CSV table of all heavy atoms in Angstrom, one decimal:
chain,number,residue,atom,x,y,z
A,1,LEU,N,-80.4,-1.2,131.1
A,1,LEU,CA,-79.0,-1.2,130.8
A,1,LEU,C,-78.1,-2.3,131.3
A,1,LEU,O,-77.2,-2.9,130.7
A,1,LEU,CB,-78.3,0.1,131.1
A,1,LEU,CG,-78.8,1.3,130.4
A,1,LEU,CD1,-78.3,2.7,130.9
A,1,LEU,CD2,-78.5,1.2,128.9
A,2,LYS,N,-78.5,-2.8,132.6
A,2,LYS,CA,-77.8,-3.9,133.2
A,2,LYS,C,-77.9,-5.2,132.3
A,2,LYS,O,-77.0,-6.0,132.5
A,2,LYS,CB,-78.4,-4.2,134.6
A,2,LYS,CG,-77.7,-3.2,135.5
A,2,LYS,CD,-78.5,-3.4,136.9
A,2,LYS,CE,-78.5,-4.9,137.3
A,2,LYS,NZ,-79.1,-5.2,138.6
A,3,ASP,N,-78.9,-5.4,131.4
A,3,ASP,CA,-79.0,-6.5,130.7
A,3,ASP,C,-77.8,-6.6,129.6
A,3,ASP,O,-77.6,-7.7,129.0
A,3,ASP,CB,-80.3,-6.5,129.9
A,3,ASP,CG,-81.5,-7.0,130.7
A,3,ASP,OD1,-81.1,-7.5,131.8
A,3,ASP,OD2,-82.6,-6.7,130.4
A,4,PHE,N,-77.0,-5.5,129.5
A,4,PHE,CA,-76.0,-5.4,128.6
A,4,PHE,C,-74.6,-5.4,129.2
A,4,PHE,O,-73.6,-5.1,128.8
A,4,PHE,CB,-76.1,-4.0,127.8
A,4,PHE,CG,-77.3,-4.0,127.0
A,4,PHE,CD1,-78.5,-3.4,127.4
A,4,PHE,CD2,-77.4,-4.6,125.7
A,4,PHE,CE1,-79.6,-3.4,126.7
A,4,PHE,CE2,-78.4,-4.5,125.0
A,4,PHE,CZ,-79.7,-3.9,125.4
A,5,ASP,N,-74.5,-6.0,130.5
A,5,ASP,CA,-73.4,-6.2,131.3
A,5,ASP,C,-72.4,-5.1,131.3
A,5,ASP,O,-71.3,-4.9,131.2
A,5,ASP,CB,-72.5,-7.4,130.7
A,5,ASP,CG,-73.3,-8.6,131.0
A,5,ASP,OD1,-74.0,-8.7,132.1
A,5,ASP,OD2,-72.9,-9.6,130.2
A,6,VAL,N,-73.2,-3.8,131.8
A,6,VAL,CA,-72.4,-2.5,132.0
A,6,VAL,C,-72.5,-2.2,133.4
A,6,VAL,O,-73.4,-2.6,134.2
A,6,VAL,CB,-72.9,-1.4,131.1
A,6,VAL,CG1,-72.8,-1.7,129.7
A,6,VAL,CG2,-74.5,-1.1,131.4
A,7,LEU,N,-71.6,-1.5,133.8
A,7,LEU,CA,-71.4,-0.8,135.2
A,7,LEU,C,-71.8,0.6,135.1
A,7,LEU,O,-71.2,1.3,134.3
A,7,LEU,CB,-70.0,-1.0,135.8
A,7,LEU,CG,-70.0,-0.4,137.2
A,7,LEU,CD1,-70.8,-1.1,138.2
A,7,LEU,CD2,-68.5,-0.4,137.6
A,8,ILE,N,-72.9,1.0,135.8
A,8,ILE,CA,-73.4,2.3,135.6
A,8,ILE,C,-73.0,3.2,136.8
A,8,ILE,O,-73.3,2.8,137.9
A,8,ILE,CB,-75.0,2.3,135.5
A,8,ILE,CG1,-75.3,1.5,134.3
A,8,ILE,CG2,-75.6,3.5,135.5
A,8,ILE,CD1,-76.7,0.9,134.3
A,9,TYR,N,-72.7,4.3,136.6
A,9,TYR,CA,-72.4,5.4,137.4
A,9,TYR,C,-73.5,6.5,137.3
A,9,TYR,O,-73.8,7.0,136.3
A,9,TYR,CB,-71.1,6.1,137.1
A,9,TYR,CG,-70.9,7.4,138.1
A,9,TYR,CD1,-70.5,7.3,139.4
A,9,TYR,CD2,-71.3,8.6,137.7
A,9,TYR,CE1,-70.4,8.3,140.2
A,9,TYR,CE2,-71.2,9.8,138.5
A,9,TYR,CZ,-70.8,9.6,139.8
A,9,TYR,OH,-70.6,10.5,140.6
A,10,ALA,N,-74.3,6.7,138.5
A,10,ALA,CA,-75.3,7.6,138.5
A,10,ALA,C,-75.1,8.5,139.7
A,10,ALA,O,-74.8,8.1,140.8
A,10,ALA,CB,-76.6,7.0,138.6
A,11,ASP,N,-74.9,9.8,139.6
A,11,ASP,CA,-74.3,10.7,140.6
A,11,ASP,C,-75.2,10.6,141.8
A,11,ASP,O,-74.7,10.8,142.9
A,11,ASP,CB,-74.1,12.1,140.1
A,11,ASP,CG,-75.4,12.7,139.6
A,11,ASP,OD1,-76.5,12.3,139.8
A,11,ASP,OD2,-75.4,13.9,139.0
A,12,TRP,N,-76.5,10.3,141.7
A,12,TRP,CA,-77.4,10.4,142.8
A,12,TRP,C,-76.8,9.2,143.8
A,12,TRP,O,-77.1,9.3,145.0
A,12,TRP,CB,-78.8,9.9,142.4
A,12,TRP,CG,-79.8,10.0,143.5
A,12,TRP,CD1,-80.5,11.1,144.1
A,12,TRP,CD2,-80.3,8.9,144.3
A,12,TRP,NE1,-81.2,10.7,145.1
A,12,TRP,CE2,-81.2,9.3,145.2
A,12,TRP,CE3,-80.0,7.5,144.2
A,12,TRP,CZ2,-81.9,8.5,146.0
A,12,TRP,CZ3,-80.7,6.6,145.0
A,12,TRP,CH2,-81.6,7.2,146.0
A,13,LEU,N,-76.3,8.2,143.4
A,13,LEU,CA,-75.8,7.1,144.1
A,13,LEU,C,-74.4,7.4,144.7
A,13,LEU,O,-73.9,6.5,145.5
A,13,LEU,CB,-75.8,5.8,143.4
A,13,LEU,CG,-77.2,5.4,142.8
A,13,LEU,CD1,-77.0,4.3,141.8
A,13,LEU,CD2,-78.2,5.2,143.8
A,14,ASP,N,-73.8,8.5,144.4
A,14,ASP,CA,-72.4,8.8,144.7
A,14,ASP,C,-72.4,9.7,146.0
A,14,ASP,O,-72.7,10.8,145.9
A,14,ASP,CB,-71.6,9.4,143.6
A,14,ASP,CG,-70.2,9.7,143.9
A,14,ASP,OD1,-69.8,9.5,145.1
A,14,ASP,OD2,-69.4,9.9,143.0
A,15,GLU,N,-72.2,9.0,147.0
A,15,GLU,CA,-72.1,9.6,148.3
A,15,GLU,C,-71.1,10.7,148.4
A,15,GLU,O,-71.1,11.6,149.3
A,15,GLU,CB,-72.1,8.7,149.5
A,15,GLU,CG,-73.4,7.9,149.6
A,15,GLU,CD,-73.2,6.7,150.5
A,15,GLU,OE1,-72.0,6.3,151.1
A,15,GLU,OE2,-74.2,5.9,150.7
A,16,ASN,N,-70.1,10.7,147.6
A,16,ASN,CA,-68.9,11.6,147.7
A,16,ASN,C,-69.1,12.8,146.8
A,16,ASN,O,-68.4,13.8,147.0
A,16,ASN,CB,-67.6,10.9,147.3
A,16,ASN,CG,-67.2,9.8,148.2
A,16,ASN,OD1,-67.3,9.9,149.4
A,16,ASN,ND2,-66.8,8.6,147.6
A,17,LEU,N,-70.2,12.8,146.0
A,17,LEU,CA,-70.4,13.8,145.2
A,17,LEU,C,-71.3,15.0,146.0
A,17,LEU,O,-72.3,14.6,146.5
A,17,LEU,CB,-71.1,13.5,143.9
A,17,LEU,CG,-71.4,14.6,142.9
A,17,LEU,CD1,-70.1,15.0,142.2
A,17,LEU,CD2,-72.3,14.2,141.8
A,18,PRO,N,-70.7,16.2,146.1
A,18,PRO,CA,-71.6,17.3,146.8
A,18,PRO,C,-73.0,17.4,146.1
A,18,PRO,O,-73.1,17.4,144.8
A,18,PRO,CB,-70.7,18.5,146.5
A,18,PRO,CG,-69.3,18.0,146.2
A,18,PRO,CD,-69.5,16.7,145.5
A,19,LYS,N,-73.9,17.7,146.9
A,19,LYS,CA,-75.3,17.8,146.3
A,19,LYS,C,-75.6,19.1,145.8
A,19,LYS,O,-76.6,19.4,145.1
A,19,LYS,CB,-76.3,17.4,147.4
A,19,LYS,CG,-76.3,16.0,147.8
A,19,LYS,CD,-76.4,14.9,146.9
A,19,LYS,CE,-76.1,13.5,147.3
A,19,LYS,NZ,-75.8,12.7,146.3
A,20,ASP,N,-74.6,20.1,146.0
A,20,ASP,CA,-75.0,21.5,145.5
A,20,ASP,C,-74.3,21.6,144.2
A,20,ASP,O,-73.7,20.6,143.7
A,20,ASP,CB,-74.5,22.6,146.4
A,20,ASP,CG,-72.9,22.4,146.6
A,20,ASP,OD1,-72.2,21.4,146.2
A,20,ASP,OD2,-72.3,23.2,147.1
A,21,LYS,N,-74.5,22.6,143.4
A,21,LYS,CA,-73.9,22.9,142.1
A,21,LYS,C,-72.7,23.9,142.2
A,21,LYS,O,-72.7,24.8,141.6
A,21,LYS,CB,-75.0,23.3,141.1
A,21,LYS,CG,-76.1,22.3,140.9
A,21,LYS,CD,-77.3,22.9,140.1
A,21,LYS,CE,-78.3,21.8,140.2
A,21,LYS,NZ,-79.6,22.2,140.0
A,22,SER,N,-71.7,23.4,143.0
A,22,SER,CA,-70.5,24.2,143.1
A,22,SER,C,-69.3,23.8,142.3
A,22,SER,O,-69.5,22.9,141.4
A,22,SER,CB,-70.1,23.9,144.6
A,22,SER,OG,-69.5,22.6,144.7
A,23,ASP,N,-68.3,24.5,142.3
A,23,ASP,CA,-67.1,24.4,141.5
A,23,ASP,C,-66.6,22.9,141.7
A,23,ASP,O,-66.1,22.1,140.9
A,23,ASP,CB,-66.0,25.3,141.7
A,23,ASP,CG,-66.4,26.7,141.1
A,23,ASP,OD1,-67.3,26.7,140.2
A,23,ASP,OD2,-65.8,27.7,141.5
A,24,LEU,N,-66.6,22.5,143.0
A,24,LEU,CA,-66.2,21.1,143.4
A,24,LEU,C,-67.1,20.0,142.7
A,24,LEU,O,-66.7,19.0,142.2
A,24,LEU,CB,-66.2,21.0,144.9
A,24,LEU,CG,-65.8,19.7,145.4
A,24,LEU,CD1,-64.4,19.3,145.0
A,24,LEU,CD2,-65.9,19.6,146.9
A,25,THR,N,-68.5,20.3,142.7
A,25,THR,CA,-69.3,19.4,142.0
A,25,THR,C,-68.9,19.2,140.6
A,25,THR,O,-68.9,18.1,140.0
A,25,THR,CB,-70.8,19.9,142.2
A,25,THR,OG1,-71.0,20.1,143.6
A,25,THR,CG2,-71.7,18.9,141.7
A,26,THR,N,-68.7,20.4,139.9
A,26,THR,CA,-68.4,20.5,138.5
A,26,THR,C,-67.1,19.6,138.3
A,26,THR,O,-67.0,18.7,137.3
A,26,THR,CB,-68.2,21.9,138.0
A,26,THR,OG1,-69.4,22.6,138.3
A,26,THR,CG2,-67.8,22.0,136.5
A,27,LYS,N,-66.1,19.9,139.0
A,27,LYS,CA,-64.8,19.2,138.9
A,27,LYS,C,-65.0,17.7,138.9
A,27,LYS,O,-64.4,16.9,138.3
A,27,LYS,CB,-63.8,19.7,139.9
A,27,LYS,CG,-62.4,19.1,139.8
A,27,LYS,CD,-61.4,19.8,140.8
A,27,LYS,CE,-60.0,19.3,140.6
A,27,LYS,NZ,-59.7,18.0,141.1
A,28,GLN,N,-65.8,17.2,140.1
A,28,GLN,CA,-66.0,15.8,140.3
A,28,GLN,C,-66.7,15.2,139.2
A,28,GLN,O,-66.5,14.1,138.8
A,28,GLN,CB,-66.6,15.5,141.6
A,28,GLN,CG,-65.5,15.8,142.7
A,28,GLN,CD,-66.2,15.5,144.1
A,28,GLN,OE1,-67.4,15.1,144.2
A,28,GLN,NE2,-65.3,15.6,145.2
A,29,LEU,N,-67.8,16.0,138.6
A,29,LEU,CA,-68.6,15.5,137.6
A,29,LEU,C,-67.7,15.3,136.4
A,29,LEU,O,-67.8,14.3,135.6
A,29,LEU,CB,-69.8,16.3,137.2
A,29,LEU,CG,-71.0,16.3,138.1
A,29,LEU,CD1,-72.0,17.2,137.6
A,29,LEU,CD2,-71.4,14.8,137.9
A,30,GLN,N,-66.7,16.2,136.0
A,30,GLN,CA,-65.9,16.1,134.9
A,30,GLN,C,-65.1,14.9,135.1
A,30,GLN,O,-64.9,14.2,134.0
A,30,GLN,CB,-65.0,17.3,134.8
A,30,GLN,CG,-65.7,18.5,134.3
A,30,GLN,CD,-64.8,19.8,134.4
A,30,GLN,OE1,-64.1,20.0,135.4
A,30,GLN,NE2,-64.8,20.7,133.4
A,31,GLU,N,-64.5,14.5,136.3
A,31,GLU,CA,-63.7,13.4,136.4
A,31,GLU,C,-64.5,12.1,136.2
A,31,GLU,O,-64.1,11.2,135.6
A,31,GLU,CB,-63.1,13.4,137.9
A,31,GLU,CG,-62.1,14.6,138.0
A,31,GLU,CD,-61.7,14.7,139.5
A,31,GLU,OE1,-62.3,13.9,140.4
A,31,GLU,OE2,-60.9,15.5,139.8
A,32,LYS,N,-65.8,12.2,136.7
A,32,LYS,CA,-66.6,10.8,136.5
A,32,LYS,C,-67.0,10.6,135.1
A,32,LYS,O,-66.9,9.5,134.6
A,32,LYS,CB,-67.8,11.1,137.5
A,32,LYS,CG,-67.5,10.9,138.9
A,32,LYS,CD,-66.8,9.7,139.2
A,32,LYS,CE,-66.7,9.4,140.7
A,32,LYS,NZ,-66.1,8.2,141.0
A,33,ILE,N,-67.3,11.7,134.3
A,33,ILE,CA,-67.5,11.6,133.0
A,33,ILE,C,-66.3,11.1,132.2
A,33,ILE,O,-66.5,10.1,131.4
A,33,ILE,CB,-68.1,12.9,132.4
A,33,ILE,CG1,-69.5,13.2,132.9
A,33,ILE,CG2,-68.1,12.9,130.7
A,33,ILE,CD1,-69.9,14.7,132.6
A,34,GLN,N,-65.1,11.7,132.5
A,34,GLN,CA,-64.0,11.2,131.9
A,34,GLN,C,-63.7,9.6,132.4
A,34,GLN,O,-63.2,8.9,131.4
A,34,GLN,CB,-62.7,12.0,132.4
A,34,GLN,CG,-61.4,11.7,131.7
A,34,GLN,CD,-61.4,12.0,130.3
A,34,GLN,OE1,-62.0,13.1,129.8
A,34,GLN,NE2,-60.8,11.3,129.4
A,35,GLU,N,-63.8,9.3,133.4
A,35,GLU,CA,-63.5,7.8,133.9
A,35,GLU,C,-64.3,6.9,133.3
A,35,GLU,O,-63.9,5.7,133.1
A,35,GLU,CB,-63.9,7.8,135.5
A,35,GLU,CG,-62.6,8.5,136.4
A,35,GLU,CD,-63.2,8.5,137.9
A,35,GLU,OE1,-64.1,7.7,138.3
A,35,GLU,OE2,-62.6,9.2,138.6
A,36,ASN,N,-65.6,7.2,133.0
A,36,ASN,CA,-66.6,6.2,132.3
A,36,ASN,C,-66.3,6.1,130.8
A,36,ASN,O,-66.2,7.1,130.3
A,36,ASN,CB,-67.8,6.5,132.7
A,36,ASN,CG,-68.3,6.2,134.1
A,36,ASN,OD1,-68.4,5.1,134.5
A,36,ASN,ND2,-68.2,7.2,135.0
A,37,LYS,N,-66.3,4.9,130.3
A,37,LYS,CA,-66.1,4.7,128.9
A,37,LYS,C,-67.3,5.5,128.1
A,37,LYS,O,-67.1,6.0,127.1
A,37,LYS,CB,-66.1,3.2,128.5
A,37,LYS,CG,-65.7,3.0,127.1
A,37,LYS,CD,-65.6,1.6,126.9
A,37,LYS,CE,-65.2,1.4,125.3
A,37,LYS,NZ,-65.1,-0.1,125.1
A,38,LYS,N,-68.5,5.3,128.5
A,38,LYS,CA,-69.7,5.8,127.7
A,38,LYS,C,-70.5,6.8,128.6
A,38,LYS,O,-70.5,6.7,129.8
A,38,LYS,CB,-70.6,4.6,127.3
A,38,LYS,CG,-69.9,3.6,126.4
A,38,LYS,CD,-69.7,4.2,125.1
A,38,LYS,CE,-68.9,3.0,124.2
A,38,LYS,NZ,-68.8,3.3,122.8
A,39,PHE,N,-71.2,7.7,127.9
A,39,PHE,CA,-72.2,8.5,128.6
A,39,PHE,C,-73.5,8.4,128.0
A,39,PHE,O,-73.7,8.4,126.7
A,39,PHE,CB,-71.7,9.9,128.3
A,39,PHE,CG,-72.4,11.1,128.9
A,39,PHE,CD1,-72.1,11.6,130.2
A,39,PHE,CD2,-73.5,11.6,128.2
A,39,PHE,CE1,-72.9,12.5,130.8
A,39,PHE,CE2,-74.3,12.6,128.9
A,39,PHE,CZ,-73.9,13.1,130.1
A,40,ILE,N,-74.5,8.2,128.8
A,40,ILE,CA,-75.8,8.1,128.3
A,40,ILE,C,-76.7,9.2,129.0
A,40,ILE,O,-76.7,9.2,130.0
A,40,ILE,CB,-76.5,6.8,128.5
A,40,ILE,CG1,-75.7,5.7,127.6
A,40,ILE,CG2,-78.0,6.6,128.1
A,40,ILE,CD1,-76.2,4.3,127.9
A,41,PHE,N,-77.6,10.0,128.2
A,41,PHE,CA,-78.4,11.0,128.7
A,41,PHE,C,-79.9,10.5,128.6
A,41,PHE,O,-80.4,10.1,127.6
A,41,PHE,CB,-78.3,12.2,127.9
A,41,PHE,CG,-79.2,13.3,128.3
A,41,PHE,CD1,-79.1,13.9,129.5
A,41,PHE,CD2,-80.2,13.8,127.3
A,41,PHE,CE1,-80.0,14.9,129.8
A,41,PHE,CE2,-81.0,14.9,127.7
A,41,PHE,CZ,-81.0,15.3,129.1
A,42,LEU,N,-80.5,10.3,129.9
A,42,LEU,CA,-81.8,9.8,129.9
A,42,LEU,C,-82.7,11.0,129.7
A,42,LEU,O,-82.9,11.8,130.5
A,42,LEU,CB,-82.1,9.2,131.4
A,42,LEU,CG,-83.3,8.5,131.7
A,42,LEU,CD1,-83.6,7.5,130.6
A,42,LEU,CD2,-83.5,8.1,133.1
A,43,ALA,N,-83.1,11.1,128.4
A,43,ALA,CA,-83.8,12.2,127.9
A,43,ALA,C,-85.4,12.1,128.2
A,43,ALA,O,-86.1,12.0,127.2
A,43,ALA,CB,-83.5,12.4,126.3
A,44,THR,N,-85.9,12.3,129.2
A,44,THR,CA,-87.2,12.4,129.6
A,44,THR,C,-87.5,14.1,129.2
A,44,THR,O,-86.6,14.8,129.1
A,44,THR,CB,-87.4,12.3,131.2
A,44,THR,OG1,-86.7,13.3,131.9
A,44,THR,CG2,-87.0,10.8,131.5
A,45,GLU,N,-88.7,14.3,129.3
A,45,GLU,CA,-89.2,15.6,129.1
A,45,GLU,C,-88.6,16.6,130.1
A,45,GLU,O,-88.2,17.6,129.8
A,45,GLU,CB,-90.7,15.7,129.0
A,45,GLU,CG,-91.3,15.1,127.8
A,45,GLU,CD,-92.9,15.2,127.8
A,45,GLU,OE1,-93.3,16.3,127.7
A,45,GLU,OE2,-93.4,14.1,127.8
């Protein structure tokens, strides 16, 4: 994707995102999805 001059947000790289699946995690994910212009789902099996 970097060949297309995009800035990628991946939650694994976000040190501020809680690693558990709590309400706080959900809220922060919602904010990050909203903040980014596009959403791509890496659909592996």
